[in-house]
Amino acid sequence: MGSNSCLNFAITHHCVYLSPSFSPNSKLHNPNPNHNQFLLSRSSFIPIATSSFALHSNHTLSHPRSKKLPLRNAPNFYVAASAKAVPLKVMISGAPASGKGTQCELITQKYGLVHIAAGDLLRVEVAAASENGKRAKEYMEKGELVPDEIVVMMVKERLLQPDSQEKGWLLDGYPRSSSQAAALEDFGIHPDIFILLEVPEDNLVERVVGRRLDPLTGKIYHLKYSPPESEEIASRLTQRFDDTEERVKLRLHTHHQNVEAVLSTYKDITVKVNGNVAKENVFAQIDAALTELLEQREVNSGSLTA
Ligand code: AP5
């Protein structure tokens, strides 16, 4: 089995499969060597490739949904090739406790994106008692936005890390103001989709005060809606310092002051999601939107090659 830095090859009976990152266990590998067919499950497809081509024994290159292209000097066997993926760039937004973090867990599990949460980055600084952390805490305790000079570069640097660039990113709770949105645009950072979770305000306070976090796994729980699986987990759960009824009201006030400016920046790519149903049903809506986005890309890349 050959291997080079760009493309790897796998030969099984009548088929040759090429992918940017083939391994013997790769899901790109056709599980049934008797099928001369390009097989990709959606979940394996997403992090790896956004366009795919098949080189047939009649020497044509085609995308599954496009016309066949003639190829010279083509080998006399069936080849499926995956072009390097263009990673997904997703923003998720919503009021405090609308379920952003909960959905991010589910999205990253399926789509393999790098989860970047502005609040989490700030809490790391607070826990480290860094200068930025000490300053940030003053604002977080009041439910106000932490100043841009602390947040903007912090998020930008995380977005530009190699893992975010390679796997794609899922930006949670950022941008939260017109100046943050403008800074991202200035840096040339633009999402493919902006997901907005909608939850009636009455439910948000209850979600905040019942929220608990597992410091070992980072998993988010709710005492009523998503209780811990065991006594052992229950005994180690912690509560965020800003998760009180009084503070969430301040956070909601800040959210209302800023949300419109952010929404107007991304209105053309906004998908509104009903966040007031069970978390699995919220995820089903998000999953449908991301799937549609990827399918659209696949069609577009096919028509480009046609
Ligand atoms: P941040 O940490 O981002 O807090 P937030 O926006 O208030 O959002 P939360 O993390 O509270 O909620 P969530 O939407 O993630 O909900 P979750 O999934 O946990 O920001 C904190 C502070 O940092 C800000 O106040 C600000 O000071 C600062 N900051 C952050 N970003 C900044 C920025 N860009 N610029 C400046 N400052 C910034 O769910 C909540 C609870 O509900 C959980 O218990 C969960 O189990 C439960 N739940 C979730 N989904 C469901 C469901 N479908 N049904 C029932 N319960 C559910």
Side-chain angles (χ1 to χ4, degrees):
M1 193 169 303
S3 170
N4 69 26
S5 58
C6 301
L7 288 172
N8 297 300
F9 302 83
I11 302 177
T12 58
H13 296 243
H14 317 291
C15 312
V16 174
Y17 287 85
L18 294 85
S19 88
S21 58
F22 178 83
S23 78
N25 296 324
S26 167
K27 290 178 190 167
L28 278 169
H29 181 218
N30 188 344
N32 182 353
N34 297 320
H35 274 189
N36 266 3
Q37 213 176 0
F38 188 78
L39 291 181
L40 268 183
S41 73
R42 183 166 285 150
S43 57
S44 66
F45 176 83
I46 284 157
I48 301 166
T50 53
S51 63
S52 49
F53 306 91
L55 174 59
H56 304 273
S57 55
N58 60 358
H59 299 181
T60 56
L61 181 68
S62 75
H63 183 274
R65 298 185 202 175
S66 71
K67 292 179 201 158
K68 288 179 179 173
L69 301 174
L71 264 191
R72 285 190 200 138
N73 304 322
N76 193 22
F77 40 53
Y78 188 98
V79 177
S82 299
K84 181 88 178 144
V86 177
L88 265 184
K89 296 171 285 179
V90 178
M91 281 181 184
I92 187 162
S93 172
S98 55
K100 301 182 291 295
T102 300
Q103 293 306 315
C104 286
E105 279 178 16
L106 300 171
I107 296 168
T108 50
Q109 265 167 32
K110 174 156 183 185
Y111 290 89
L113 305 175
V114 175
H115 177 207
I116 303 172
D120 288 348
L121 294 177
L122 288 166
R123 278 184 287 278
V124 167
E125 293 294 322
V126 171
S130 66
E131 276 315 305
N132 277 345
K134 285 179 200 158
R135 270 194 76 202
K137 192 171 182 192
E138 289 172 29
Y139 292 88
M140 293 167 85
E141 282 184 330
K142 290 186 278 183
E144 292 174 6
L145 293 184
V146 173
D148 283 357
E149 65 262 25
I150 297 176
V151 186
V152 168
M153 292 313 286
M154 191 184 272
V155 172
K156 181 197 169 197
E157 278 165 21
R158 188 64 193 87
L159 282 168
L160 296 179
Q161 293 283 314
D163 61 342
S164 314
Q165 295 295 303
E166 280 159 24
K167 296 178 187 169
W169 44 257
L170 172 59
L171 192 50
D172 164 2
Y174 192 94
R176 287 197 198 209
S177 63
S178 55
S179 60
Q180 291 177 4
L184 279 183
E185 293 293 308
D186 289 347
F187 297 138
I189 298 171
H190 193 75
D192 301 311
I193 186 168
F194 184 90
I195 296 166
L196 177 65
L197 297 181
E198 297 186 309
V199 179
E201 202 147 318
D202 289 348
N203 303 9
L204 296 173
V205 176
E206 188 195 11
R207 284 194 186 185
V208 160
V209 294
R211 172 167 47 194
R212 297 292 183 275
L213 303 166
D214 183 342
L216 272 192
T217 62
K219 195 168 170 194
I220 303 165
Y221 290 96
H222 190 281
L223 295 178
K224 181 171 164 191
Y225 299 116
S226 187
E229 296 89 350
S230 67
E231 276 300 314
E232 189 191 347
I233 297 173
S235 66
R236 65 176 185 239
L237 294 183
T238 59
Q239 201 171 7
R240 263 170 50 175
F241 68 83
D242 55 349
D243 270 356
T244 62
E245 187 167 343
E246 184 195 16
R247 282 181 182 147
V248 76
K249 285 182 177 157
L250 297 171
R251 280 153 60 195
L252 277 167
H253 177 69
T254 304
H255 170 75
H256 291 310
Q257 281 180 321
N258 294 289
V259 67
E260 281 309 321
V262 176
L263 293 185
S264 65
T265 306
Y266 300 109
K267 62 177 183 299
D268 295 342
I269 51 165
T270 295
V271 171
K272 292 183 178 175
V273 166
N274 176 8
N276 197 31
V277 289
K279 67 178 181 181
E280 295 78 13
N281 298 335
V282 179
F283 179 65
Q285 299 170 64
I286 294 173
D287 194 20
L290 294 179
T291 299
E292 193 183 327
L293 175 66
L294 287 164
E295 286 178 350
Q296 193 56 50
R297 272 188 176 184
E298 198 185 348
V299 170
N300 291 345
S301 73
S303 52
L304 278 177
T305 60

